[in-house]
Amino acid sequence: MAEAKTDKDDKVIGSRLMMGARERRFRSIGSRIGHSTLILIASSSLIALLFIFYFIIKDAFPFFRLEGFREFLGSSRWYPSREEAEFGALAIFIGSGLVTLGAILFSVPVGVLASLCLSDILPFSLRQVVKPVIEMLAAIPSVVYGFFALVVFAPMLQEKGGSLLSAAALVVLIPLAAILVIVTSDLLSGMFTRNVRKISRVAAGLAGSAVSFYFISRIYVFLNGLEIASGTNALNASVILGIMALPTIVSVSEDALNAVGRDLREGSYALGATRAETLVKVVVPAAKSGITAAVILGVMRAIGETMVVWMASGNAARIPKPWFNLLEPVRTLTATIAGDMGEADHVTGSARYHVLFAMALGLLLFAFISNFVSEMIVRKSRRSGS
Amino acid sequence: MRSILKSIAVFSCALVMLSGMTVGNAAAEERIIIDGSTTVGPIAKAFAEYYMSLHEDVNITVSESGSGNGAKSLINGMCDIADMSRFMKQKEFMAAVEKGRMPVAHVVAVDGLPIIVHPGNPVGNLTIEQVRDIYMGKIVNWKEVGGPDVQIVRVSRDTNSGTYETFETMVMAKEKIHENTEYVGSNGAVRQRVQSTPAAIGYAGLGFVDRTVKALKVNGIMPDRNTVSSGTYPIARPLFMFTDKYPKLGTHLHAFVSLYLTPKGQEIIEEIGFIPVTKY
Amino acid sequence: MEVGTRKLLDRSFTSVGFFAIILMGMALLILLQPIIVRGLKAFIFRGTVEYREMSLEQFGRGNAEALARDLDEALEARKPVYDILDSFEEEMKESGPEFRRQYRSDFSELKGLITELLGPREGAKEKALIRKKYGQTRYDRALIKLHQVLFVEGYDYSDTSGMGKSIETPRAELFAGTTIERLFGVLESDIEKMLKPKMTLYWRFLFDESKDAHFFGGIWPEMLGTLYLSIGSMIFAIPLGIITAIYLAEYAGHGKFVSLLRTCISSLAGVPSIVFGLFGLAFFINTMHVSSSKSVLAGSMTLALLVLPTIIRASEEAILAVPRGYREASMSLGAGKWFTIARVILPAALPGILTSTIISLGRAAGETAPIIFTAAVSVGKPLGLFETLSQPTPALPWNIYNLATEHEAVDEIRHVQYGMVFTLVAMVLLLNLTAILLRARITKKLRG
């Protein structure tokens, strides 16, 4: 009891008052054991991650020993089943990249706009309606998306692909052109003196609309005449992956937008900026890092997805011509792993088995690095923000 | 809070009861695990369902994960029967023997690989060399083989399939399939691609060829039951089920792998579209 | 810029934003509409008399007397068809070889088609496959088959510059001038009497085992497999997840180790699902030998790793959301830390943890890639509880893929595929709806 008085920590006194010396020692050992067990369990995800890396690397390494890097990353000749097998995975890497790029091109603008709308434009009651929609999009299993892509979307693309694409192009291009025309005519007319300003503005507007009409109609005609040979192609996979990546992008970037303080917004409004100007010039730059993180997470979601690309991308192991041609079938890393695993003989330790682990290692490293980068970005912004 | 806990309790009770229902009829079952080729899969599945309908006490599971996987599972003792659309490779055999297993092949059926085109295609006959040239990319237009002036669209099964390996060895010899070839995941998908693409050429298992596509004569021989089983049609292959040693007489496993010898089994094989090895 | 332009831009920006939201809603609608509409057709459809016969013979369901009556009427209606076929066969026998050669292949094709439409004739040899024992069991498919009977799809190759043109000619023209010509008229007008379609509700689709590779019957093994896998994964993931969350929220400070741990958790969340599958195969099955081959157990463990990060994060949030006052009150009453956590904080955080668990349950139910190599098979019986430790199972996500891409009769069993997709989506969305409602209640409580 005497020593308790010398202890300065008030919290400890209370608890120590209630137990004897032996019990105290017992307690402290017990709690140490408890604590270390707790840490052990808590590090289960650390252990799991280490194990995943270990097992993937263990089976990926023999491939590089057997075949070397150069063919793997430098050639696009993928003939894994032949006597003299070739394992050029370049086309497969490019295929993965291409569908991901397509998905991001679609989902980032839509996702960021939607998150802006959710955070700043929609009234609270409507927000409560939209949120479940996003949650449902996120909850639908990937195989269902894949089924839709294969059974509904692919035949649609193949039969009416041209008109579908041209309609989509109209929907995107017309508002874009309208905004562009308004802005440029306004800027142009600003260069003239006051008395001709109105006329010059109308003239510029008319000219702009004529030019954009010309280009849009050219694009429309081109797309409308397009014949899509196969409905299962990179475009199909990209669109569906884009929809799947949307919820991630929307929710993460919405969080980032909400984290931007009200004071910034109010300051901007006080200076007379409109809502659009506030959002584009103040809020989005302030939430830049969060939005970048959202995009990275979206990329990770798209590149790691298996079922959709397996069912809808066409699985041709070659680089499209030209490389950005989304209308050609491509083969992706995940689909190759899922599809080829069954034919690869594990027992004999063939290169065909290990090459799949090498691909998995590629995916894993990509996920790991991009996750790390996004965390760094967020952390950095937090430090500079606070 | 209490209501949540209550609903959890109700839910778990329901679950236990649900599984209890199935425990009842699942006790003391014999299992046969089948793994392997997607081509042999339909036969294995039909056999399994037929066999299970005769013997209530047997549970047969069929995975269709590919010939290689089937071999692997058999070698590791993870399955009783490996479906394979190719014969076991030497390496696989050696690995099996090392592990003390002796794979025994049962030829359950024969499958032909018809070359199919769109029914609108006037071409009706190709030689095997022409087919090879088409897939190599030497012949790129249908007019070179007597058809209209249209670019050929090559469709192939995915490289991970036994069907692809068969085509590669029987048709392509040592040549490589041109890289500008569409790969699709299943026999049905090949048919779908060909029936929807007028300029397409593809190949699929005999059972998958129906009225919507046109099978070509190869070297002047039409693929059908007789030409494939007699061996006159040049692109045909046997389909295998491998077991570890020859199964003991009187076991379910034995009865199952010899199902293809019974009239019913042969009828099933034929009704799915493959060709029984023996005529009854 | 002028004020007017700025206002205009502001408005158009707003509408573009709205458009993005609408696009998302439309994506959801377009996705769900065919799944719901066509998925329900697995449950509600116009079943023909052949369906009722199948149902009675294969499942022992239905009213035998009513069926016998229906069958009699249907057979009565079909009699003229068979009469015509028989009389044509007579005609072939009696007429010369010329005539026989002309019609033989056409006639056998026609007979085959009619068998597919109406089922094998009475007294015909018993077929081995169940699908061959009956005619068309669904009226919508019967009408498609009827069209194939009535019309021949042919091609006109006369224009050699391009591919042949498709032409549909009535099959009757093939048999012009023979007795069989009448057949087509009879078929077309009396098809309803021959098949007697009736609205059928097949709710047992969920609880029946499949017959003949999903041609008939339901999806019970797949449903049960999905339930086992998702609940099994929760059994592993929940304790791990909650304990980790407790550690992170209550014990861990801001040290190096903790930040490493957090990085690991978010990295684990970013690992592609197919990599989890490979890992599950390499670790749980080939190294740890939790089961001799694929099994529900191995699949559950793999899925558990997949959902672990989600559960950790959500549980940590739920624990942190418990007001400080609870903790302080409990501590000041002399309760230890463990006691406080177990008796005060966890119960208060339970609804939040539950919400995340329910969502993860849905995620685990729908994942395909991790179970391809670890748990899923194409055909298998429903498993008993203890068999899950050693046996693989069919599961909805895998079988959707399998039926949609690898089945030998993909088009004929579309309704089963849609039925499976519908069931899976309904399961997952119902779980999510529960979570959403639960969360709404929590927020209300916290506010009130």
Side-chain angles (χ1 to χ4, degrees):
Chain A
M1 289 301 134
E3 66 196 78
K5 276 174 196 162
T6 58
D7 204 323
K8 277 169 189 158
D9 194 346
D10 293 52
K11 272 187 205 161
V12 184
I13 296 173
S15 59
R16 291 209 173 169
L17 276 174
M18 286 183 279
M19 52 174 111
R22 238 176 101 189
E23 202 184 343
R24 203 183 307 148
R25 197 172 306 139
F26 178 73
R27 267 277 174 106
S28 86
I29 291 171
S31 84
R32 209 168 289 163
I33 291 174
H35 201 77
S36 39
T37 322
L38 187 64
I39 290 184
L40 193 72
I41 294 176
S43 25
S44 56
S45 38
L46 174 95
I47 298 167
L49 195 69
L50 283 180
F51 270 42
I52 289 177
F53 261 100
Y54 171 70
F55 274 95
I56 301 294
I57 289 175
K58 192 187 82 172
D59 272 329
F61 210 69
F63 172 75
F64 298 116
R65 214 175 42 220
L66 286 170
E67 303 286 330
F69 276 103
R70 188 184 291 173
E71 188 192 20
F72 186 55
L73 292 176
S75 145
S76 63
R77 303 177 67 82
W78 176 253
Y79 296 103
S81 61
R82 293 176 59 86
E83 287 284 308
E84 316 88 36
E86 291 187 51
F87 298 101
L90 182 66
I92 299 174
F93 275 95
I94 289 182
S96 259
L98 187 65
V99 290
T100 308
L101 186 73
I104 288 309
L105 280 182
F106 165 76
S107 63
V108 165
V110 176
V112 171
L113 277 172
S115 63
L116 276 172
C117 200
L118 270 177
S119 71
D120 280 79
I121 298 176
L122 282 186
F124 182 76
S125 57
L126 268 178
R127 228 174 283 177
Q128 295 312 95
V129 181
V130 175
K131 276 274 173 75
V133 169
I134 296 169
E135 268 164 21
M136 275 159 91
L137 275 178
I140 290 175
S142 58
V143 70
V144 173
Y145 280 107
F147 181 80
F148 177 83
L150 180 72
V151 175
V152 183
F153 195 48
M156 213 153 77
L157 264 183
Q158 195 162 327
E159 279 161 30
K160 325 182 195 84
S163 39
L164 218 67
L165 279 181
S166 52
L170 282 193
V171 168
V172 174
L173 288 179
I174 287 180
L176 211 73
I179 292 175
L180 215 69
V181 167
I182 292 169
V183 172
T184 44
S185 61
D186 189 87
L187 289 180
L188 277 177
S189 64
M191 298 193 301
F192 296 102
T193 50
R194 184 166 286 261
N195 41 2
V196 285
R197 193 169 283 174
K198 205 154 214 173
I199 299 168
S200 67
R201 198 167 150 183
V202 170
L206 281 178
S209 341
V211 170
S212 50
F213 178 77
Y214 172 74
F215 277 111
I216 289 178
S217 61
R218 282 296 290 274
I219 292 173
Y220 179 83
V221 168
F222 170 72
L223 286 178
N224 208 8
L226 216 56
E227 277 202 15
I228 298 179
S230 165
T232 49
N233 54 26
L235 178 71
N236 186 336
S238 293
V239 171
I240 304 292
L241 282 182
I243 294 174
M244 290 176 74
L246 263 182
T248 315
I249 294 180
V250 172
S251 56
V252 177
S253 57
E254 197 212 340
D255 283 345
L257 291 171
N258 280 335
V260 175
R262 285 228 63 83
D263 44 346
L264 266 181
R265 292 187 171 97
E266 272 151 21
S268 168
Y269 288 135
L271 290 173
T274 62
R275 185 161 60 191
E277 287 160 352
T278 308
L279 286 178
V280 173
K281 290 181 184 160
V282 179
V283 178
V284 170
K288 197 175 59 197
S289 60
I291 293 176
T292 319
V295 173
I296 292 176
L297 286 177
V299 169
M300 278 163 70
R301 177 103 168 92
I303 209 163
E305 176 48 49
T306 311
M307 297 317 286
V308 168
V309 288
W310 196 13
M311 291 164 97
S313 69
N315 291 330
R318 76 184 206 95
I319 303 168
K321 280 179 190 149
W323 65 268
F324 53 83
N325 189 351
L326 281 174
L327 295 178
E328 285 194 21
V330 294
R331 192 185 185 90
T332 65
L333 292 169
T334 49
T336 307
I337 296 173
D340 271 23
M341 195 62 201
E343 285 299 320
D345 23 355
H346 157 70
V347 202
T348 52
S350 67
R352 194 176 173 187
Y353 174 77
H354 294 301
V355 71
L356 300 178
F357 279 86
M359 289 178 171
L361 182 62
L363 279 174
L364 196 58
L365 283 179
F366 179 81
F368 191 71
I369 292 170
S370 44
N371 181 59
F372 192 69
V373 169
S374 80
E375 263 198 13
M376 289 309 278
I377 292 172
V378 171
R379 212 172 282 172
K380 205 171 128 199
S381 77
R382 239 182 241 152
R383 212 171 295 149
S384 64
S386 61
Chain B
M1 176 52 49
R2 189 154 298 163
S3 69
I4 294 170
L5 286 176
K6 208 185 275 170
S7 60
I8 293 176
V10 169
F11 182 69
S12 40
C13 276
L15 197 82
V16 167
M17 270 163 62
L18 221 74
S19 39
M21 253 159 59
T22 46
V23 167
N25 62 32
E29 268 186 353
E30 193 170 325
R31 334 157 27 189
I32 298 178
I33 300 172
I34 305 175
D35 200 346
S37 160
T38 50
T39 313
V40 193
I43 298 178
K45 284 192 285 187
F47 275 14
E49 299 218 2
Y50 174 69
Y51 198 80
M52 283 196 279
S53 72
L54 294 184
H55 304 271
E56 282 288 317
D57 55 334
V58 184
N59 182 17
I60 304 175
T61 59
V62 183
S63 314
E64 295 163 284
S65 48
S67 297
N69 220 27
K72 181 187 94 186
S73 301
L74 190 73
I75 294 165
N76 290 343
M78 284 153 67
C79 71
D80 302 306
I81 298 173
D83 294 337
M84 297 184 73
S85 58
R86 56 171 170 81
F87 201 74
M88 264 202 184
K89 291 176 182 161
Q90 201 185 355
K91 269 185 178 174
E92 291 169 335
F93 249 116
M94 275 151 60
V97 172
E98 255 169 46
K99 293 214 171 186
R101 287 176 227 285
M102 187 58 221
V104 173
H106 308 260
V107 182
V108 287
V110 181
D111 188 20
L113 269 192
I115 307 294
I116 53 175
V117 294
H118 192 263
N121 195 329
V123 175
N125 188 1
L126 291 175
T127 64
I128 202 157
E129 287 77 24
Q130 281 173 323
V131 176
R132 184 183 313 144
D133 286 349
I134 287 176
Y135 273 93
M136 275 168 67
K138 272 196 201 162
I139 296 177
V140 293
N141 197 306
W142 280 112
K143 76 175 174 204
E144 293 171 59
V145 288
D149 183 9
V150 182
Q151 289 277 321
I152 298 175
V153 177
R154 287 175 291 267
V155 180
S156 164
R157 276 298 304 279
D158 213 339
T159 49
N160 59 26
S161 63
T163 313
Y164 171 86
E165 289 190 23
T166 305
F167 184 80
E168 209 181 22
T169 45
M170 306 200 73
V171 179
M172 298 310 290
K174 290 273 168 197
E175 303 299 335
K176 276 177 184 155
I177 289 182
H178 192 260
E179 60 171 13
N180 191 0
T181 301
E182 279 183 33
Y183 289 94
V184 292
S186 64
N187 282 304
V190 174
R191 181 182 64 198
Q192 217 163 7
R193 286 295 297 130
V194 172
Q195 82 191 39
S196 61
T197 315
I201 183 169
Y203 58 88
L206 195 60
F208 291 86
V209 176
D210 60 7
R211 292 181 203 89
T212 56
V213 291
K214 182 163 104 179
L216 295 181
K217 287 181 186 165
V218 176
N219 295 343
I221 296 157
M222 197 69 186
D224 62 28
R225 218 199 122 141
N226 292 324
T227 56
V228 171
S229 63
S230 66
T232 44
Y233 183 73
I235 322 170
R237 56 170 170 176
L239 302 178
F240 302 95
M241 285 187 183
F242 278 87
T243 53
D244 175 27
K245 305 185 186 69
Y246 196 80
K248 253 194 212 136
L249 293 178
T251 56
H252 282 301
L253 188 61
H254 177 263
F256 186 85
V257 290
S258 44
L259 205 56
Y260 71 97
L261 293 169
T262 64
K264 266 283 187 267
Q266 292 178 354
E267 213 180 311
I268 291 175
I269 289 172
E270 208 178 348
E271 279 171 9
I272 308 175
F274 296 96
I275 292 147
V277 187
T278 49
K279 281 187 185 174
Y280 51 87
Chain C
M1 262 192 254
E2 277 186 25
V3 179
T5 322
R6 288 173 53 198
K7 266 192 186 153
L8 199 63
L9 279 178
D10 185 42
R11 292 237 177 86
S12 43
F13 186 84
T14 309
S15 49
V16 169
F18 272 113
F19 177 70
I21 297 272
I22 291 170
L23 203 66
M24 259 186 340
M26 260 171 50
L28 186 67
L29 266 185
I30 292 174
L31 183 74
L32 287 184
Q33 182 259 335
I35 290 171
I36 292 173
V37 171
R38 300 197 52 184
L40 281 175
K41 280 190 186 155
F43 297 88
I44 306 165
F45 55 92
R46 294 183 79 184
T48 63
V49 66
E50 297 289 320
Y51 172 79
R52 296 193 283 282
E53 194 184 355
M54 184 278 295
S55 184
L56 185 72
E57 286 177 8
Q58 301 298 329
F59 296 96
R61 285 187 204 125
N63 184 341
E65 278 171 34
L67 173 68
R69 235 178 4 253
D70 275 359
L71 262 181
D72 278 345
E73 284 172 32
L75 288 181
E76 191 63 32
R78 291 174 195 182
K79 204 164 169 296
V81 174
Y82 292 136
D83 283 346
I84 295 171
L85 288 177
D86 287 342
S87 68
F88 186 75
E89 211 142 358
E90 286 295 309
E91 205 177 323
M92 284 223 318
K93 264 184 207 150
E94 281 161 19
S95 49
E98 194 81 351
F99 185 84
R100 239 173 288 165
R101 204 171 307 132
Q102 189 188 344
Y103 289 113
R104 193 169 48 201
S105 72
D106 286 339
F107 182 62
S108 74
E109 191 186 340
L110 176 68
K111 268 207 306 197
L113 279 169
I114 288 181
T115 309
E116 282 173 34
L117 176 65
L118 300 176
R121 279 178 78 168
E122 241 171 318
K125 207 165 119 305
E126 181 85 341
K127 297 281 185 180
L129 284 180
I130 301 174
R131 71 187 85 156
K132 301 277 182 182
K133 285 183 183 164
Y134 306 97
Q136 297 297 321
T137 53
R138 304 172 138 254
Y139 196 56
D140 51 348
R141 291 223 56 91
L143 290 181
I144 295 172
K145 201 42 96 184
L146 178 68
H147 188 84
Q148 282 177 13
V149 175
L150 295 180
F151 296 94
V152 193
E153 200 182 356
Y155 282 85
D156 172 19
Y157 301 121
S158 55
D159 177 15
T160 50
S161 66
M163 287 293 168
K165 303 271 176 301
S166 158
I167 34 172
E168 243 178 19
T169 47
R171 197 176 288 271
E173 281 177 19
L174 286 179
F175 297 97
T178 63
T179 43
I180 223 160
E181 226 182 330
R182 293 185 291 128
L183 176 86
F184 301 99
V186 177
L187 265 179
E188 198 171 4
S189 60
D190 286 353
I191 186 71
E192 202 149 346
K193 278 184 212 150
M194 291 177 202
L195 288 173
K196 299 187 118 353
K198 234 188 232 167
M199 261 328 204
T200 313
L201 173 66
Y202 182 38
W203 58 271
R204 281 202 177 91
F205 180 71
L206 293 178
F207 304 108
D208 271 345
E209 289 180 42
S210 102
K211 291 264 182 201
D212 196 5
H214 283 289
F215 265 84
F216 308 114
I219 56 172
W220 175 236
E222 287 83 3
M223 284 264 295
L224 192 69
T226 303
L227 285 179
Y228 278 141
L229 280 170
S230 49
I231 292 170
S233 67
M234 287 300 128
I235 291 175
F236 293 106
I238 289 177
L240 279 182
I242 293 181
I243 292 175
T244 310
I246 290 172
Y247 175 75
L248 287 176
E250 296 290 326
Y251 285 89
H254 294 282
K256 277 252 162 69
F257 176 70
V258 176
S259 88
L260 176 71
L261 206 57
R262 284 184 196 279
T263 311
C264 281
I265 292 168
S266 62
S267 298
L268 199 62
V271 172
S273 53
I274 187 80
V275 176
F276 277 108
L278 281 187
F279 172 70
L281 173 71
F283 181 64
F284 291 128
I285 296 179
N286 288 345
T287 310
M288 297 275 289
H289 298 291
V290 296
S291 54
S292 61
S293 65
K294 292 180 191 177
S295 70
V296 176
L297 182 65
S300 307
M301 286 174 160
T302 313
L303 285 173
L305 286 184
L306 182 91
V307 294
L308 188 59
T310 327
I311 293 189
I312 293 176
R313 278 189 201 153
S315 308
E316 193 192 347
E317 252 170 56
I319 291 172
L320 287 178
V322 175
R324 282 213 66 79
Y326 282 41
R327 256 160 268 218
E328 281 153 10
S330 166
M331 297 286 234
S332 69
L333 287 175
K337 191 153 191 181
W338 264 114
F339 188 86
T340 309
I341 291 171
R343 289 295 180 82
V344 179
I345 294 176
L346 274 188
L350 189 64
I353 295 175
L354 213 59
T355 317
S356 76
T357 310
I358 292 172
I359 290 176
S360 312
L361 196 67
R363 171 109 196 270
E367 272 296 340
T368 319
I371 61 170
I372 299 175
F373 312 126
T374 55
V377 290
S378 316
V379 167
K381 277 190 177 176
L383 296 183
L385 194 56
F386 295 105
E387 288 171 311
T388 55
L389 298 178
S390 60
Q391 294 206 28
T393 178
L396 280 177
W398 166 252
N399 282 61
I400 289 171
Y401 169 78
N402 189 265
L403 287 192
T405 60
E406 268 158 21
H407 196 275
E408 65 269 21
V410 173
D411 291 328
E412 277 158 65
I413 53 157
R414 274 281 184 251
H415 60 277
V416 181
Q417 297 161 19
Y418 271 106
M420 278 188 183
V421 172
F422 175 78
T423 312
L424 183 61
V425 169
M427 267 164 79
V428 171
L429 289 190
L430 273 182
L431 283 174
N432 268 63
L433 196 70
T434 324
I436 290 171
L437 292 180
L438 201 63
R439 197 171 43 215
R441 265 184 63 180
I442 300 167
T443 37
K444 214 188 234 169
K445 225 184 217 168
L446 284 183
R447 276 215 203 113

